[in-house]
Amino acid sequence: MKKHILLPLFLLFVCQATWATITKQVINQTLDSTVTSYQLDINGDQAFDATFNYFANGAFTITTRVGNGNAYMLATETISGSNSRPCKVSNNQTFTSLPNWKSNGIFIHSPGLGYTGFAGTGNQYIAGRMNLTGGTDYFYFWILVNVNSTGSQLSILKTAMESEPNLALTTENEGQTGVGYKLLSKTKVFTLYPQPASSSVEVITDEKIEAYKIFNINGQLILSRPMPTTNVIDVSNIPKDVYLLQLLNNNEIIHIQKIIIDK
């Protein structure tokens, strides 16, 4: 089920690559007491992968598809007993390993359970993964949603899916982690030199950078250090591969970019 579509967020700043493709969809579907159900096709196979429902008591739920060799699941947290809610995934968060993957009985909002974690908190990313063969390959996806302040209306805004198996997926910067979350500035300019790098790479920018992190393509943290005053990062001990570089200031991510190490 390979698709040749859009590049992932961290490839927007570099030349086109072929090792990963991202399927993105703008949904903009609203559920409320009038429109009470919506079925979402995430991977474009003409089958419904996730079903959103509104109930008369004011609860919104999401159930993902399981069966016929398919297993679509969301990363969840427990509300009480067997009742779960989706984990909120931060802006520009790269994920594979997240807790408690679950396929159904997931409350996005439920006043009956005293759960209002999505209502009035702005756009929020929900993380998911799908297994299509019953084997060990997983395809990761996210869904961007918004519940209004009264909990009476759910908006399904966007979705994105990594079409290559077992590659980490990164959210974009349209969500929030709370009131006043700072979005990435689209006017900031960052250049990495040289690319590919062998022993070191310099970050050329006018922005202040306090720290950096390097992740492999599976989302595993490889290196985390304060940024040198020279903005030159030593990569001499990192094996040849493709990585994801995060730049941080005041513990907030200000830029994400692919870095190629070739020795």
Side-chain angles (χ1 to χ4, degrees):
M1 59 172 274
K2 272 192 181 178
K3 300 175 184 176
H4 298 284
I5 26 195
L6 299 179
L7 293 174
L9 176 66
F10 53 86
L11 295 183
L12 291 179
F13 304 95
V14 294
C15 61
Q16 185 172 0
T18 59
W19 57 273
T21 53
I22 302 296
T23 304
K24 297 180 184 178
Q25 299 180 64
V26 176
I27 307 300
N28 288 336
Q29 174 66 48
T30 298
L31 269 66
D32 52 26
S33 59
T34 303
V35 180
T36 60
S37 183
Y38 179 75
Q39 293 178 308
L40 177 62
D41 177 10
I42 296 171
N43 64 5
D45 64 353
Q46 308 304 310
F48 299 127
D49 305 321
T51 300
F52 294 80
N53 285 301
Y54 169 85
F55 294 94
N57 62 1
F60 289 104
T61 66
I62 177 172
T63 302
T64 53
R65 176 159 59 114
V66 174
N68 297 322
N70 299 289
Y72 291 66
M73 296 190 174
L74 303 182
T76 63
E77 301 169 327
T78 299
I79 304 173
S80 63
S82 61
N83 297 310
S84 298
R85 61 188 177 190
C87 293
K88 295 180 181 180
V89 183
S90 303
N91 281 359
N92 307 297
Q93 180 174 340
T94 301
F95 65 90
T96 51
S97 179
L98 290 170
N100 304 321
W101 297 97
K102 190 173 180 180
S103 62
N104 51 36
I106 302 170
F107 287 87
I108 298 175
H109 175 71
S110 177
L113 293 171
Y115 172 53
T116 57
F118 278 81
T121 59
N123 297 346
Q124 300 287 350
Y125 286 103
I126 298 172
R129 72 182 188 188
M130 59 182 76
N131 179 285
L132 305 177
T133 63
T136 58
D137 286 342
Y138 290 101
F139 298 82
Y140 293 91
F141 64 90
W142 53 252
I143 306 170
L144 183 65
V145 301
N146 185 300
V147 178
N148 68 355
S149 59
T150 61
S152 61
Q153 192 174 77
L154 166 68
S155 296
I156 307 160
L157 303 174
K158 295 177 69 175
T159 184
M161 172 190 164
E162 170 58 70
S163 64
E164 298 293 333
N166 305 316
L167 289 183
L169 181 62
T170 303
T171 59
E172 297 181 339
N173 59 356
E174 296 182 62
Q176 296 189 21
T177 56
V179 177
Y181 186 83
K182 295 181 181 179
L183 300 181
L184 295 184
S185 170
K186 296 182 179 179
T187 62
K188 296 177 180 178
V189 177
F190 298 84
T191 302
L192 299 186
Y193 180 82
Q195 277 273 56
S198 58
S199 58
S200 65
V201 61
E202 181 180 2
V203 181
I204 303 172
T205 182
D206 291 331
E207 301 297 326
K208 181 181 179 182
I209 306 171
E210 292 184 347
Y212 67 90
K213 295 181 180 181
I214 297 177
F215 296 84
N216 65 19
I217 59 174
N218 294 318
Q220 297 171 317
L221 181 63
I222 302 299
L223 191 64
S224 178
R225 296 282 190 276
M227 177 62 79
T229 57
T230 59
N231 277 9
V232 175
I233 299 172
D234 181 6
V235 296
S236 59
N237 292 322
I238 299 178
K240 174 182 176 180
D241 210 336
V242 178
Y243 298 89
L244 183 65
L245 173 67
Q246 287 185 354
L247 304 177
L248 301 96
N249 188 18
N250 292 324
N251 293 319
E252 292 184 354
I253 300 170
I254 60 172
H255 186 67
I256 300 176
Q257 187 163 339
K258 187 184 76 169
I259 178 172
I260 302 170
I261 299 177
D262 190 5
K263 300 179 180 181

